[in-house]
Amino acid sequence: MLKQPKAVWAVAFASVFAFMGIGLVDPILPAIAENLRATPSEVSLLFTSYFLVTAIAMLVTGFVSSRIGGKKTLLLGLTIIVAFSALSGLSGTVGELVGFRAGWGLGNALFVATSLAVMVGVASGGAATAIILYEAALGLGLSLGPLMGALLGAWQWRAPFFGTATAMAIAFILLLLMLPKTPLPAAKTRLRDPLQALGHKGLRTTAGSALFYNYGFFTILAFVPFILGFNAYGIGAVFFGWGVAVAIFSVFVAPAVQRRFGPTRALMGSLLGLMVILVGLALAAAGHSVTTIVVLTVISGALLGINNTLFTEMAMSVSDSPRPVASAGYNFIRWMGGALAPFAATRIAEHFNASATFYVAAAMVLVSAVIIFGGRKFLTAHEPEGV
């Protein structure tokens, strides 16, 4: 896995910076709410706008990359991220910040969807190796994002946004110099292709399950910072540990679990484990046990790392659609869960309590496991089906 061309490492390195943008705002969510005089649900829209635009834009990433090439698409995505992350740091109201995060989501979609396809294309060792490296970059980015957010955010809440702009500019230069020109695919992707790919029952099952799973994932990421009562350093430390667990278990544990139990059983077991963690978080929130919340949050990273790798590998292999097309269709559905969860989680807590938020998330993850169980016969079929 370590014997990869320089181009793979360049894309992986840039991906780390891109994924840092997801958890970057975690440690500064309370500070943003205080400085911009916003409620937690209003601040949660930073995630909602980001992932909603990311999800919708997934449908056009293949259309763009098949016409201008993978390298140019990656560079375009990075350029957009640099611009809108810098603009986010200049925001004067929470509405402006939410809008700039939406633009950031467009760049994120162009980069994330294309980076996996490029890594699969240039990596040595096949798609499985590229996916593991991709998930490693995801986990590392998720761990370093809160850390950078804490270190810069403790100084000034705007600083993490300017830090991200700088990091992505460095990633732009690395890809410009190290990634060779990628050839255009033989056939251009049409706008409707990702939706047509979801006509395959296996891919549709995977995407539908991932939608409910991501609700649980982003409930933890976006809501827990509000109930910890920590400063930026404390929140950053918790989610750094969480992100390290995501990275280690996605790279080293997920492949072993998949070989031992098979992808379907491994995924159902990991999802049920995550549901138990969410129920534990609900009980801990009711008992106001911050220590338990911290421990369970970090432990949840292990199960999230396993799930991320299993879901990605399943989505990339379950149908005969080209990988970029399958990835776009899958991520369009998947990221909708990330768009819904942050706002819904905070609103539920505002109207009821924090425990209710986690119970709802646990129910969503249970639905995710039920979908996998109900569609398990489609997850081993590789014949594409019509819409």
Side-chain angles (χ1 to χ4, degrees):
M1 185 169 63
L2 298 178
K3 298 178 180 179
Q4 299 294 328
K6 290 182 180 179
V8 173
W9 296 115
V11 177
F13 185 72
S15 298
V16 171
F17 283 132
F19 288 125
M20 284 171 65
I22 295 177
L24 174 88
V25 299
D26 252 35
I28 57 174
L29 287 175
I32 292 174
E34 179 181 352
N35 282 275
L36 297 183
R37 298 177 182 178
T39 64
S41 59
E42 289 174 335
V43 174
S44 73
L45 292 174
L46 295 177
F47 287 101
T48 296
S49 64
Y50 179 81
F51 287 118
L52 182 62
V53 172
T54 295
I56 296 172
M58 286 292 176
L59 298 178
V60 304
T61 55
F63 178 87
V64 174
S65 63
S66 65
R67 284 161 175 78
I68 67 174
K71 180 176 181 177
K72 290 182 179 178
T73 304
L74 291 176
L75 295 176
L76 175 62
L78 290 175
T79 301
I80 294 173
I81 293 173
V82 169
F84 280 98
S85 56
L87 288 171
S88 295
L90 298 173
S91 300
T93 66
V94 69
E96 290 179 1
L97 186 53
V98 169
F100 291 139
R101 280 282 285 181
W104 191 338
L106 172 61
N108 182 67
L110 289 169
F111 182 86
V112 169
T114 310
S115 61
L116 177 56
V118 170
M119 288 180 71
V120 170
V122 299
S124 57
T129 300
I131 289 171
I132 291 174
L133 289 171
Y134 177 82
E135 292 299 335
L138 169 62
L140 193 58
L142 288 176
S143 64
L144 293 178
L147 189 62
M148 185 173 81
L151 294 176
L152 296 178
W155 170 52
Q156 223 282 347
W157 71 265
R158 299 177 186 273
F161 297 110
F162 295 123
T164 299
T166 303
M168 299 310 287
I170 295 172
F172 179 96
I173 295 171
L174 285 175
L175 286 187
L176 186 65
L177 298 177
M178 297 179 66
L179 182 63
K181 182 179 179 181
T182 53
L184 295 176
K188 294 181 179 179
T189 301
R190 300 166 298 181
L191 289 174
R192 65 177 181 270
D193 285 349
L195 293 176
Q196 286 186 323
L198 291 169
H200 188 282
K201 292 180 180 178
L203 184 60
R204 191 164 66 241
T205 297
T206 305
S209 177
L211 184 151
F212 289 95
Y213 156 67
N214 270 271
Y215 185 97
F217 183 113
F218 287 102
T219 293
I220 295 173
L221 180 64
F223 180 68
V224 168
F226 287 110
I227 63 172
L228 288 175
F230 294 168
N231 60 17
Y233 288 123
I235 297 172
V238 171
F239 279 92
F240 174 72
W242 171 85
V244 169
V246 172
I248 291 174
F249 277 76
S250 64
V251 175
F252 299 106
V253 179
V257 170
Q258 180 171 322
R259 287 192 299 269
R260 176 67 177 84
F261 299 103
T264 303
R265 285 196 297 169
L267 188 54
M268 285 192 294
S270 187
L271 286 169
L272 292 175
L274 179 60
M275 182 194 72
V276 172
I277 292 292
L278 286 164
V279 171
L281 284 168
L283 296 173
H288 304 287
S289 176
V290 176
T291 301
T292 304
I293 292 172
V294 170
V295 172
L296 290 177
T297 297
V298 174
I299 292 174
S300 73
L303 296 172
L304 296 172
I306 294 172
N307 287 331
N308 287 346
T309 297
L310 294 178
F311 267 118
T312 302
E313 289 197 10
M314 192 174 288
M316 293 297 98
S317 63
V318 74
S319 74
D320 283 342
S321 296
R323 288 192 178 96
V325 174
S327 175
Y330 163 73
N331 280 298
F332 166 64
I333 301 296
R334 169 197 185 191
W335 289 118
M336 286 297 180
L340 175 64
F343 182 73
T346 49
R347 291 294 286 176
I348 291 170
E350 288 171 359
H351 284 280
F352 299 99
N353 52 54
S355 292
T357 291
F358 290 118
Y359 281 127
V360 170
M364 292 292 189
V365 174
L366 177 59
V367 171
S368 176
V370 169
I371 291 174
I372 292 293
F373 179 77
R376 63 193 182 281
K377 67 179 181 180
F378 304 123
L379 300 178
T380 55
H382 296 270
E383 296 79 20
E385 299 175 13
V387 177

